[in-house]
């Protein structure tokens, strides 16, 4: 069959179907003006025409799967679904299918299919085949998303889903509480150095490690080992350039959060503590719907608040032995003698350099009551 695919992008390519987009796709069906315009490809820019081999998908499913298998069938073929699904109905192939995701492209000029015939097939698939679940990859969603990813429900976690916690609760009496956390980046070597140093400290203070989903997926054995000693929290599914994660549409934020939850579940870990790059209404909404608590450190190293930012003049021009007290002081100043949540970013090499000195201070001189993240939020 002849396949029509999209023109390669260039600055003067023009609009695709009236929209400034690079679809990256094609179709087996084109309008006559699109077929004739081999230079620009018409309104959908389908300028590349190629002869491609085809497969009897209905027969392939029957020959390569068993009825007893759990088969998830996803179909998004820009109009070719009508012939494919008709053949599957005729062959009884839906008996092999347990779940069907897809899209119907009723506007495509499919050869041999008018509007009435298309509508009849949609009805036949619903009644005689398998109900279709909508799938919209470009929007990062599908109809049974929330069914597959229900909110976390566990009495072992304190706090309220979607609530932002930027410090520890004040104790009825006694010293302010403080909990130490590590924002683990994707540099496993740097993270391992920092975490192992913290683990070896004589105070054995409770620490929470916040991990990207991609880190868990890439280093599952390391994460499993860390979980024996530390509380595990979550970050996004992957790192983004600073400030860009929360600029995305809410469905992308949801996908990043669910991805990390899924990666943790694959190593038999569950957490309700989420430390996002930044707190927005979309982040709070998704955290609440997933049943997780939002953690925002009281004091960060390196600091992100403009009041405490490190510069060449106040920090980087100095030797490492001179940077240590400056780093510790900026953490102490952020705490304002009130305790709270301290975070070290493993991607900054000075986090490793100052970690022992920080823990010495916290354990011996600070006067804070060093607690777990759970005790901090109670």
């Amino acid at each position: 069959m002849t396949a029509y695919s999209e023109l390669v992008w260039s600055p003067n390519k023009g609009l695709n179907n009236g929209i400034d987009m690079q679809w990256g796709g094609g179709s087996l069906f084109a309008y006559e003006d699109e077929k004739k315009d081999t230079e620009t490809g018409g309104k959908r820019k389908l300028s590349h025409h190629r002869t491609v081999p085809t497969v009897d998908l209905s027969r392939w499913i029957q020959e390569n799967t068993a009825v007893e298998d759990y088969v998830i069938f996803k179909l998004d073929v820009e109009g070719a679904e009508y012939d494919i699904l008709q053949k599957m109905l005729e062959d009884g192939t839906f008996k092999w299918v347990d779940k069907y995701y897809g899209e119907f492209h009723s506007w495509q000029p499919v050869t041999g299919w008018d509007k009435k015939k298309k509508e009849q097939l949609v009805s036949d698939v619903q009644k005689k085949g398998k109900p279709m679940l909508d799938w919209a990859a470009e929007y990062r969603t599908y109809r049974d998303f929330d069914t597959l990813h229900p909110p976390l429900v566990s009495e072992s976690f304190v706090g309220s889903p979607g609530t932002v916690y930027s410090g520890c609760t004040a104790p009825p009496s006694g010293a302010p509480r403080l909990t130490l956390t590590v924002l683990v980046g994707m540099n496993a070597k740097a993270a391992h150095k920092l975490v192992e140093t913290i683990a070896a400290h004589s105070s054995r203070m409770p620490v929470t490690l916040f991990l990207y989903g991609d880190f868990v997926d890439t280093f599952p054995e390391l994460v499993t080992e860390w979980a024996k000693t530390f509380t595990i929290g979550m970050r996004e599914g992957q790192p983004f350039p600073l400030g860009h994660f929360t600029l995305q549409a809410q469905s992308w934020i949801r996908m990043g959060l669910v991805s990390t939850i899924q990666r943790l579940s694959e190593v038999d870990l569950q957490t309700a503590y989420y430390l996002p790059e930044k707190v927005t209404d979309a982040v709070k909404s998704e955290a609440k719907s997933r049943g997780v608590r939002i953690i925002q450190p009281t004091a960060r190293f390196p600091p992100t608040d403009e009041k405490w930012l490190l510069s060449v003049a106040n920090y980087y021009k100095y030797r490492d032995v001179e940077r240590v007290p400056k780093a510790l002081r900026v953490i102490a100043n952020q705490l304002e003698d009130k305790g709270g949540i301290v975070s070290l970013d493993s991607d900054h090499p000075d986090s490793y350099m100052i970690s022992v000195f920080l823990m010495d201070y916290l354990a011996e001189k600070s006067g804070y009551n060093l607690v777990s993240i759970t005790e901090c939020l109670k």
Side-chain angles (χ1 to χ4, degrees), residues 48-101:
H48 292 280
H49 303 175
R50 294 182 176 85
T51 300
V52 296
T54 59
V55 173
D56 184 334
L57 185 56
S58 178
R59 185 173 69 181
W60 188 94
I61 291 172
Q62 292 194 23
E63 291 178 349
N64 290 276
T65 68
V67 174
E68 296 77 19
D69 293 339
Y70 189 84
V71 176
I72 299 175
F73 177 50
K74 179 178 178 291
L75 191 66
D76 181 5
V77 286
E78 303 304 320
E81 65 269 12
Y82 294 100
D83 287 322
I84 292 171
L85 294 172
Q86 182 66 51
K87 183 69 161 50
M88 289 178 66
L89 287 172
E90 293 170 356
D91 295 348
T93 305
F94 275 101
K95 185 169 62 174
W96 275 257
V97 175
D98 294 277
K99 183 181 285 191
Y100 164 38
Y101 292 103

Side-chain angles (χ1 to χ4, degrees), residues 239-266:
F240 278 75
L242 186 62
H244 283 260
F245 177 74
T246 51
L247 296 179
Q248 301 180 101
Q250 187 164 331
S251 60
W252 287 62
I253 293 173
R254 176 181 68 171
M255 187 67 79
L257 183 53
V258 168
S259 175
T260 302
I261 294 172
Q262 185 67 29
R263 299 292 82 77
L264 286 168
S265 72
E266 290 167 1

Side-chain angles (χ1 to χ4, degrees), residues 183-187 190-191 194 212 235 344-349 351:
L183 301 184
V184 176
M186 288 302 296
N187 185 330
L194 175 58
Y212 288 117
R235 302 181 76 177
L344 298 177
D345 192 323
S346 71
D347 280 343
H348 196 301
S351 290

Side-chain angles (χ1 to χ4, degrees), residues 215-252:
F215 188 95
V216 180
D217 187 50
T218 307
F219 307 104
E221 295 86 1
L222 181 59
V223 172
T224 300
E225 188 63 29
W226 283 350
K228 296 176 183 178
T229 304
F230 303 103
T231 300
I232 301 298
M234 71 179 82
R235 302 181 76 177
E236 286 78 41
Q238 66 181 73
F240 278 75
L242 186 62
H244 283 260
F245 177 74
T246 51
L247 296 179
Q248 301 180 101
Q250 187 164 331
S251 60
W252 287 62

Side-chain angles (χ1 to χ4, degrees), residues 1 8 12 19 34 56 60 62 70 110 132 145 151 162 211 214 225 266 295 339 351:
M1 296 183 70
V8 66
N12 60 351
I19 303 172
E34 292 174 324
D56 184 334
W60 188 94
Q62 292 194 23
Y70 189 84
V110 184
M132 187 190 78
F145 189 99
L211 311 173
D214 278 0
E225 188 63 29
E266 290 167 1
I295 307 300
S351 290

